[in-house]
Amino acid sequence: MKTKSIHPPKINVITLGCSKNIVDSEVLLSQLKGNHLTAAHESSEKADIVIINTCGFIDKAKTESINAILEYAEKKEQGEIEKLFVTGCLSERYKTELQSEIPVVDAWFGTLELPALLKKLGADYKKELLGERELTTAPHYAYLKISEGCDRPCSFCAIPLMRGKHVSRSIDFLTQEAKHLVSRGVKEIILIAQDLTYYGLDLNGKRQLDDLLKSLSDVPGLEWLRLQYAYPSQFPEEILDTIRERENICKYLDMPLQHISDPMLKIMRRGITQRRTIELLDTIRNKVPGIALRTTLIAGHPGETEADFDTLYSFVENQRFHRLGIFTYSHEEKTHAFTLPDDVPEEIKEQRASEIMALQQEISMERNEELHGSTLKVLIDRKEGDFYIGRTAFDSPEVDNEVIVKNTETLLPGTFVQVFIEDSEAFDLFGRVVSNS
Ligand code: SF4
């Protein structure tokens, strides 16, 4: 592609949104490098071409993406960059509107239009690089996207509009990719999807997450395998034995529940009841003793009454999740919930979300205090000042708690150590290394 500059153009890729977008950017970077193009991820160096991989999930995420586009649009108008391309979920969802609203952007691409984006850059989509990625995470952990899209009808969710129907990748393909990642120094693989537990149903009509877990867990050198984005309805309980029996599968499960009151689970079209959800949580804890459960909830969905919220609050109080996040409901066009009145005032949504987070902070504080005096296996992620920062098997990167580690000797990122827990705060543990593990 012709640019004014005489040197080969420098490309800077910016990623917004979730871990699935991170994987897409890593695939893009690998294709750009495979075409001998100079590309970097979120580099502060001057670039000729900027590609923004956007998020279009909810209001706050959309605003963040639009602000990033406008920031680089201004840089283009000031001649700081030559070309600006936008891809990802926001572009998939609002391409037509955005094209007329922000004409300075050179081209817009959807979530499944990588070949077209590469073509625009004078590059070819290289099939031989399938499964290849330029990791943008720390080199010792990586996300593995096991499927694309989602077939679920959740009322509030626009993701199927942006990512399409559920498409699983084959067990062989994913196992090869995992072997490749481990051969490049990855110790921890985090399985992600829109709906992890739906895996395989589109391939041959049966859930295959358990087969996949066994195949990945057999990859030599893989120390930690972690599961994120499980779905509670028709949960494949057979995976619980595998999680319990396999040492390198983290005793950790992220399962967004979104709500718990029966009227809300019905309106949200979650396909599960309060009683069945609580039964499932009991089964998970019984079958995998000591498992850390993470969940995500929504405050202020249309129809949510004070009584519904009280039910949710006591549920969080009783279940004492290890990790919990909460969003305020965002009224998203073309979703089922958009046909309902957005009847919970914004300030009530915010208030309910902060009440739940205040409760969770107390629960997390108590749970962390229970760990004082114990020794935990910690994966060191980075150094900050005089301390090392790491995570236990109960903590996923970016979203969960961290361990602040004192140690006189140098510790390299990607190292596993045994840490004696001396102190804690709501979302952090403090300790010292007692041995390498
Ligand atoms: S499972 Fe529901 S919330 Fe998750 S991506 Fe699919 S439709 Fe959205």
Side-chain angles (χ1 to χ4, degrees):
M1 181 185 55
K2 286 265 155 300
T3 57
K4 285 196 234 81
S5 47
I6 48 171
H7 63 265
K10 281 196 178 149
I11 301 170
N12 192 13
V13 176
I14 311 291
T15 306
L16 300 161
C18 68
S19 50
K20 283 140 266 183
N21 248 16
I22 289 175
V23 171
D24 292 350
S25 290
E26 293 174 345
V27 171
L28 168 61
L29 285 160
S30 153
Q31 288 284 336
L32 293 173
K33 291 207 168 157
N35 280 275
H36 311 294
L37 290 167
T38 311
H41 190 246
E42 299 183 351
S43 158
S44 52
E45 269 185 44
K46 184 176 172 356
D48 306 296
I49 300 170
V50 169
I51 303 170
I52 306 177
N53 187 6
T54 58
C55 176
F57 183 38
I58 54 174
D59 275 351
K60 290 182 183 120
K62 292 192 281 188
T63 307
E64 188 193 9
S65 290
I66 288 168
N67 289 345
I69 297 168
L70 294 175
E71 181 198 333
Y72 284 97
E74 200 178 321
K75 287 181 191 297
K76 185 179 172 211
E77 278 164 340
Q78 287 159 1
E80 285 177 43
I81 62 172
E82 287 176 30
K83 295 276 182 193
L84 175 58
F85 299 112
V86 177
T87 186
C89 291
L90 186 84
S91 181
E92 174 72 37
R93 195 170 171 196
Y94 301 108
K95 193 189 291 187
T96 319
E97 299 90 326
L98 290 167
Q99 259 165 347
S100 54
E101 282 162 23
I102 319 177
V104 69
V105 171
D106 293 279
W108 303 81
F109 300 92
T111 50
L112 304 172
E113 293 185 308
L114 176 57
L117 170 54
L118 289 167
K119 196 150 182 277
K120 199 76 182 176
L121 294 159
D124 310 316
Y125 179 74
K126 298 200 175 293
K127 279 207 174 65
E128 65 273 23
L129 293 178
L130 211 55
E132 283 286 338
R133 281 190 279 150
E134 286 294 311
L135 294 185
T136 61
T137 52
H140 55 270
Y141 74 82
Y143 297 104
L144 185 62
K145 185 157 62 167
I146 70 170
S147 61
E148 187 60 273
C150 187
D151 289 5
R152 300 276 182 183
C154 305
S155 62
F156 50 86
C157 186
I159 293 173
L161 301 172
M162 301 178 282
R163 292 277 169 178
K165 284 292 185 191
H166 185 105
V167 180
S168 302
R169 297 191 160 91
S170 74
I171 294 181
D172 289 352
F173 175 87
L174 291 166
T175 306
Q176 278 318 310
E177 191 169 343
K179 282 183 179 156
H180 187 57
L181 289 168
V182 170
S183 71
R184 293 168 51 193
V186 168
K187 303 266 178 65
E188 174 187 13
I189 286 180
I190 302 142
L191 299 186
I192 58 172
Q194 305 305 351
D195 171 1
L196 210 70
T197 39
Y198 203 91
Y199 180 76
L201 266 178
D202 58 309
L203 292 176
N204 46 32
K206 74 179 179 71
R207 293 175 192 277
Q208 282 196 288
L209 185 56
D210 195 42
D211 302 336
L212 176 64
L213 289 182
K214 288 177 177 146
S215 181
L216 295 175
S217 161
D218 286 343
V219 171
L222 180 57
E223 296 253 359
W224 276 357
L225 184 60
R226 186 183 301 282
L227 282 68
Q228 285 200 268
Y229 304 105
Y231 194 91
S233 165
Q234 297 128 341
F235 183 91
E237 294 185 14
E238 63 275 11
I239 68 170
L240 300 173
D241 298 331
T242 306
I243 294 175
R244 183 186 63 248
E245 289 155 10
R246 301 282 179 127
E247 204 185 320
N248 66 351
I249 302 183
C250 296
K251 308 308 172 242
Y252 172 97
L253 182 69
D254 166 52
M255 185 164 67
L257 294 173
Q258 312 301 4
H259 216 289
I260 195 62
S261 85
D262 279 322
M264 290 315 298
L265 288 172
K266 202 159 189 317
I267 295 174
M268 287 172 145
R269 310 200 309 177
R270 294 289 289 174
I272 193 167
T273 62
Q274 178 179 159
R275 190 178 57 75
R276 179 67 201 114
T277 304
I278 293 170
E279 267 174 18
L280 175 61
L281 292 167
D282 292 345
T283 303
I284 294 171
R285 290 190 179 106
N286 293 339
K287 289 223 164 170
V288 191
I291 191 167
L293 287 174
R294 159 177 251 282
T295 197
T296 307
L297 306 171
I298 293 177
H301 186 282
E304 187 184 59
T305 63
E306 264 311 314
D308 292 317
F309 178 67
D310 293 345
T311 306
L312 184 66
Y313 191 93
S314 355
F315 171 68
V316 171
E317 213 163 22
N318 299 334
Q319 291 292 329
R320 298 182 78 244
F321 290 99
H322 291 71
R323 316 283 179 252
L324 182 145
I326 188 162
F327 290 100
T328 53
Y329 171 75
S330 176
H331 210 39
E332 296 299 320
E333 349 49 85
K334 298 193 185 136
T335 62
H336 172 72
F338 197 70
T339 64
L340 308 170
D342 186 6
D343 55 2
V344 181
E346 215 46 52
E347 65 277 9
I348 300 291
K349 290 177 188 170
E350 295 292 347
Q351 186 198 323
R352 288 176 180 170
S354 47
E355 280 180 40
I356 294 277
M357 277 325 290
L359 170 62
Q360 183 58 24
Q361 182 156 348
E362 284 169 33
I363 291 168
S364 188
M365 184 82 92
E366 290 160 13
R367 280 195 171 281
N368 280 350
E369 277 160 11
E370 289 158 12
L371 294 172
H372 292 191
S374 66
T375 298
L376 298 174
K377 181 176 180 176
V378 169
L379 174 58
I380 300 297
D381 283 325
R382 63 188 187 281
K383 186 160 199 253
E384 264 179 33
D386 299 337
F387 295 93
Y388 293 92
I389 312 296
R391 288 173 292 112
T392 72
F394 310 130
D395 298 299
S396 207
E398 314 290 336
V399 290
D400 288 333
N401 297 8
E402 290 188 319
V403 186
I404 287 83
V405 181
K406 267 188 310 214
N407 199 46
T408 47
E409 279 152 48
T410 302
L411 292 175
L412 295 174
T415 307
F416 285 97
V417 288
Q418 295 290 333
V419 175
F420 178 77
I421 305 303
E422 296 168 319
D423 200 355
S424 62
E425 286 171 358
F427 301 117
D428 290 316
L429 296 173
F430 299 85
R432 58 186 164 77
V433 174
V434 288
S435 72
N436 291 345
S437 71

